[in-house]
């Protein structure tokens, strides 16, 4: 028999087909669904994720494999949701998926898999992993797919990468759905989840108030000329670069150019904010050893942003300076800047 692999089953089609493909390749497969929205999250009326658990259970029953449920809800709150809420309260815009992948999916679930005697875990992410023999390290590469998800995986360690499998590399989403239909998987037509899993759509500011038990930081808009304008609804409702839904009229389009958490001021500009240089913290190098000298890279500052040419200069204490060849729009504190060399994911960090 092949390796024992624990597949993270979200209740969606991608993880279902990941399990299917591993079975066809001869591995011993079990499915594992993480219960993340229990306890504190469930208590504020945010759902408990049982629908996703039941969908995953039905898929495993169809495949004839064991289905396990691992409750990581307390750890999820501490390591992901607490950070998410605090970052917004500081006037920043976090990406909780990056933190969740490092600490929960490839952290808590991998720890559990090791304890239970599995050889590896697998997920339905669209990304490629390969071993660089000369450099003696695992590398990540963008998937040959419109659904490439390497951006949210730059935080993984070499230890984590050594025990993870990504069976969907090389497939497009349409092919994944076709495989699910052909093999009778009940989630073949289930839609993709596009929002943050623990936040009701469009309600992140209200969610943060309920979760933290504290009111949002109120304040006023500040015009491009420095004039204090009307009050806003709280800093958590805004992000750098935002134009729509500001609720203030200046007679022409306006953009959020800065959020001052200490005063509650939302600074506006008449042009989209462009930045050429910025620093990042908590840098993690993936496909290359920790850098000591400046290097060229293509840098993505958001999940959907195109990569742009830049020089990355390592700094002390896990930081780096990124200087774009050309200024980029809406460089947003709290988001991740991820470094690539063509398709190879070099590393990344959190925008200061």
């Amino acid at each position: 028999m092949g390796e024992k692999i624990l597949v993270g089953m979200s209740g969606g089609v991608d993880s279902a087909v990941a399990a299917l493909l591993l079975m066809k390749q001869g591995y011993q497969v079990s499915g594992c669904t993480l219960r993340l929205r229990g306890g504190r999250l469930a208590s504020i009326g945010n759902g408990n994720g049982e629908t996703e658990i039941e969908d995953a259970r039905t898929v495993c029953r169809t495949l004839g494999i064991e289905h396990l449920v691992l409750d990581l809800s307390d750890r999820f709150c501490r390591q992901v949701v607490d950070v998410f809420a605090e970052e917004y309260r500081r006037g920043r815009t976090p990406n909780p998926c990056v933190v969740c992948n490092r600490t929960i999916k490839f952290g808590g679930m991998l720890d559990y898999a090791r304890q239970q005697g599995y050889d590896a875990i697998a997920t339905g992410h669209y990304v490629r992993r390969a071993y660089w023999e000369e450099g003696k390290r695992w590398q990540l590469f963008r998937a040959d797919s419109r659904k490439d998800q390497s951006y949210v995986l730059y935080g993984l360690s070499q230890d984590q990468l050594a025990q993870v499998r990504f069976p969907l590399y090389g497939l497009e989403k349409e092919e994944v759905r076709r495989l699910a239909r052909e093999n009778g998987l009940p989630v073949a037509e289930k839609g993709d989840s596009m929002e943050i899993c623990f936040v009701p759509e469009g309600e992140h500011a209200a969610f943060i108030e309920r979760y933290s038990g504290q009111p949002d930081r109120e304040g006023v808009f500040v015009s491009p000329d420095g004039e204090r304008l009307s009050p806003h609804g709280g800093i958590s409702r805004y992000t750098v670069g935002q134009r729509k839904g500001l609720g203030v009229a200046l007679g022409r389009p306006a953009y959020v150019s800065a959020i001052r958490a200490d005063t509650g001021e939302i600074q506006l500009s008449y042009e989209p904010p462009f930045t050429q240089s910025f620093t990042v913290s908590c840098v993690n190098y993936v496909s290359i050893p920790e850098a000591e000298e400046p290097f060229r890279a293509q840098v993505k500052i958001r999940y959907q942003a195109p990569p742009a040419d830049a020089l990355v200069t390592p700094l002390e204490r896990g930081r780096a300076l990124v200087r774009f060849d050309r200024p980029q729009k809406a460089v947003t504190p709290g988001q991740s800047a991820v470094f690539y060399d063509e398709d190879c994911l070099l590393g990344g960090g959190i925008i200061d």
Side-chain angles (χ1 to χ4, degrees):
M1 296 290 288
E3 290 182 315
K4 288 182 61 180
I5 298 184
L6 188 65
V7 181
M9 305 286 285
S10 66
V13 65
D14 293 328
S15 56
V17 171
L20 170 72
L21 292 175
L22 290 169
M23 290 178 64
K24 289 180 176 292
Q25 294 166 18
Y27 295 104
Q28 300 180 62
V29 175
S30 297
C32 179
T33 306
L34 305 181
R35 178 176 281 115
L36 303 178
R37 301 207 303 270
R40 189 171 165 194
L41 282 173
S43 69
I44 62 172
N46 199 41
N48 54 19
E50 290 303 318
T51 298
E52 291 81 4
I53 291 174
E54 185 55 38
D55 285 347
R57 182 179 292 117
T58 302
V59 168
C60 289
R61 189 180 302 123
T62 302
L63 293 173
I65 62 175
E66 180 184 23
H67 179 249
L68 305 169
V69 178
L70 176 61
D71 191 335
L72 294 177
S73 54
D74 288 343
R75 180 169 175 171
F76 183 68
C77 283
R78 290 195 313 272
Q79 297 183 329
V80 179
V81 189
D82 286 357
V83 174
F84 172 84
E86 180 58 28
E87 283 284 84
Y88 263 109
R89 296 182 66 82
R90 293 173 59 202
R92 295 159 61 86
T93 306
N95 189 324
C97 295
V98 170
V99 182
C100 180
N101 282 325
R102 182 181 71 250
T103 63
I104 305 299
K105 293 179 182 176
F106 299 89
M109 188 174 77
L110 179 56
D111 292 343
Y112 174 78
R114 286 167 169 161
Q115 293 167 6
Q116 299 301 313
Y118 288 90
D119 298 297
I121 64 171
T123 68
H125 285 93
Y126 291 77
V127 68
R128 179 167 72 93
R129 179 194 75 140
Y131 190 69
W132 178 27
E133 192 64 48
E134 182 180 347
K136 302 299 181 184
R137 66 188 298 114
W138 289 99
Q139 298 182 310
L140 281 179
F141 295 84
R142 285 194 291 216
D144 297 330
S145 167
R146 294 188 298 272
K147 207 174 181 301
D148 168 63
Q149 293 172 303
S150 58
Y151 176 89
V152 295
L153 298 177
Y154 80 87
L156 300 189
S157 68
Q158 286 294 301
D159 181 57
Q160 290 169 324
L161 286 172
Q163 289 187 277
V164 65
R165 308 289 183 266
F166 299 111
L168 298 189
Y169 171 72
L171 296 177
E172 292 287 353
K173 188 61 178 257
E174 295 80 3
E175 297 175 87
V176 169
R177 291 198 184 280
R178 177 183 57 79
L179 286 168
R181 285 192 295 269
E182 290 176 352
N183 288 273
L185 299 183
V187 293
E189 308 304 331
K190 186 175 180 179
D192 289 343
S193 175
M194 304 302 291
E195 302 295 329
I196 297 169
C197 70
F198 56 88
V199 177
E201 185 174 357
E203 296 183 12
H204 69 272
F207 164 80
I208 291 168
E209 287 190 338
R210 292 198 309 272
Y211 182 80
S212 66
Q214 302 177 48
D216 203 350
R217 180 62 188 265
E218 297 180 349
V220 299
F221 291 106
V222 178
S223 77
D225 303 318
E227 179 184 359
R228 289 170 66 85
L229 303 171
S230 60
H232 57 69
I235 62 173
S236 296
R237 289 168 168 78
Y238 305 95
T239 186
V240 170
Q242 181 177 338
R243 179 175 71 85
K244 296 182 179 179
L246 297 183
V248 63
L250 296 180
R252 57 188 288 191
Y255 301 82
V256 174
S257 59
I259 300 172
R260 303 186 183 107
D262 55 342
T263 64
E265 293 176 334
I266 304 291
Q267 179 66 54
L268 303 178
S269 62
Y270 288 129
E271 300 294 334
F274 278 83
T275 302
Q276 187 152 17
S277 296
F278 60 95
T279 59
V280 293
S281 301
C282 305
V283 175
N284 183 58
Y285 292 99
V286 180
S287 298
I288 58 174
E290 183 172 344
E292 298 181 353
E293 300 295 329
F295 59 93
R296 298 285 301 173
Q298 298 87 51
V299 179
K300 290 185 64 166
I301 55 172
R302 288 179 302 281
Y303 183 76
Q304 298 291 352
D309 291 332
L311 179 69
V312 180
T313 302
L315 303 174
E316 294 180 349
R317 297 187 298 276
R319 300 173 68 242
L321 172 68
V322 178
R323 181 176 178 82
F324 285 116
D325 293 358
R326 296 181 179 179
Q328 298 297 304
K329 184 169 67 175
V331 176
T332 306
Q335 288 286 293
S336 293
V338 181
F339 321 142
Y340 292 88
D341 179 7
E342 300 298 337
D343 288 338
C344 184
L345 192 162
L346 303 178
I350 305 295
I351 298 172
D352 291 327

